[in-house]
Amino acid sequence: MTLGELRELAHSISQRYETEGKAFANFQNSSGLTCLSGCGACCNHPEISATIAEMLPVALHLLDRGDAQDLYRKLHETKLSDTCVFYRATSSDMTKGYCSEYQNRAVICRSFGAAALRGKNGKKVLSLCHHIKASTEINLQELSLEQAPLIDQFAARVRNLGADTTIYPINTALKKALEKVLMAES
């Protein structure tokens, strides 16, 4: 793909992020089940994953900012850890922190916290971070899931915009997105 084509794809993905993100934000705000301020426990989970396409917006942002080559080199020369490279810990146990690229985060990062999955019977089931669950006083049994967005539908809508829907650990997906962007630029 050319750099122009990658930019078009990234723009489509960013638009989808904005549209779908509103549904997640609305549900979380109306239910009162929002992420805890300063919590970064999920960023250390080894199963954080993304597709190359999901990471294109941030890869292009890094290119435009002049940081793509340096970050690619860092990802290429070091062992990729389970912790997302954009996570900035503010506590020694790594459970508190923030995302340095929050505006360009992947699907899983946008949908995590409080949303829904389809249960075995096909009905929506609340998918809730255990930190939020432990801190809430909301009766979860009484919570209506009608407006809860489905995580897998959001992921499919974004991933289907890209040609390759292979899911990688997030740092690997970022590295591959940076490769595409840097190759198209040269």
Side-chain angles (χ1 to χ4, degrees):
M1 291 182 100
T2 67
L3 193 55
E5 291 169 330
L6 290 173
R7 287 190 187 282
E8 284 180 36
L9 175 57
H11 179 71
S12 296
I13 291 167
S14 293
Q15 285 182 313
R16 184 59 54 118
Y17 281 163
E18 187 176 325
T19 303
E20 300 280 340
K22 288 176 185 173
F24 283 88
N26 289 341
F27 172 71
Q28 290 178 357
N29 290 330
S30 68
S31 68
L33 298 170
T34 58
C35 287
L36 305 175
S37 180
C39 182
C42 61
C43 300
N44 293 311
H45 200 282
E47 293 179 20
I48 297 173
S49 56
T51 61
I52 297 168
E54 288 175 67
M55 301 309 288
L56 276 178
V58 73
L60 286 162
H61 175 73
L62 292 167
L63 178 71
D64 295 342
R65 201 170 70 195
D67 295 332
Q69 191 71 254
D70 288 340
L71 184 56
Y72 176 76
R73 199 174 358 266
K74 177 183 172 185
L75 289 168
H76 186 70
E77 293 173 354
T78 61
K79 179 188 174 296
L80 296 178
S81 75
D82 293 336
T83 302
C84 178
V85 296
F86 298 128
Y87 180 60
R88 302 295 179 261
T90 58
S91 66
S92 59
D93 67 355
M94 303 280 290
T95 61
K96 301 215 179 306
Y98 63 94
C99 177
S100 66
E101 293 295 335
Y102 187 79
Q103 293 302 317
N104 295 302
R105 66 200 187 282
V107 166
I108 193 166
C109 307
R110 292 170 184 273
S111 59
F112 199 75
L117 300 168
R118 289 272 181 217
K120 291 178 184 176
N121 61 2
K123 291 184 180 181
K124 287 184 177 181
V125 176
L126 184 64
S127 174
L128 186 63
C129 161
H130 69 274
H131 293 284
I132 297 171
K133 189 183 280 187
S135 70
T136 190
E137 294 179 13
I138 296 169
N139 183 339
L140 299 175
Q141 305 306 321
E142 293 178 8
L143 189 64
S144 171
L145 296 182
E146 253 181 69
Q147 299 301 314
L150 290 162
I151 295 169
D152 58 340
Q153 284 182 353
F154 174 35
R157 286 184 192 120
V158 171
R159 291 174 178 158
N160 288 337
L161 292 172
D164 182 356
T165 58
T166 305
I167 300 169
Y168 300 96
I170 198 161
N171 290 337
T172 302
L174 173 61
K175 180 181 168 190
K176 290 178 177 292
L178 286 168
E179 284 173 359
K180 282 187 175 292
V181 166
L182 291 168
M183 295 272 289
E185 183 197 37
S186 55

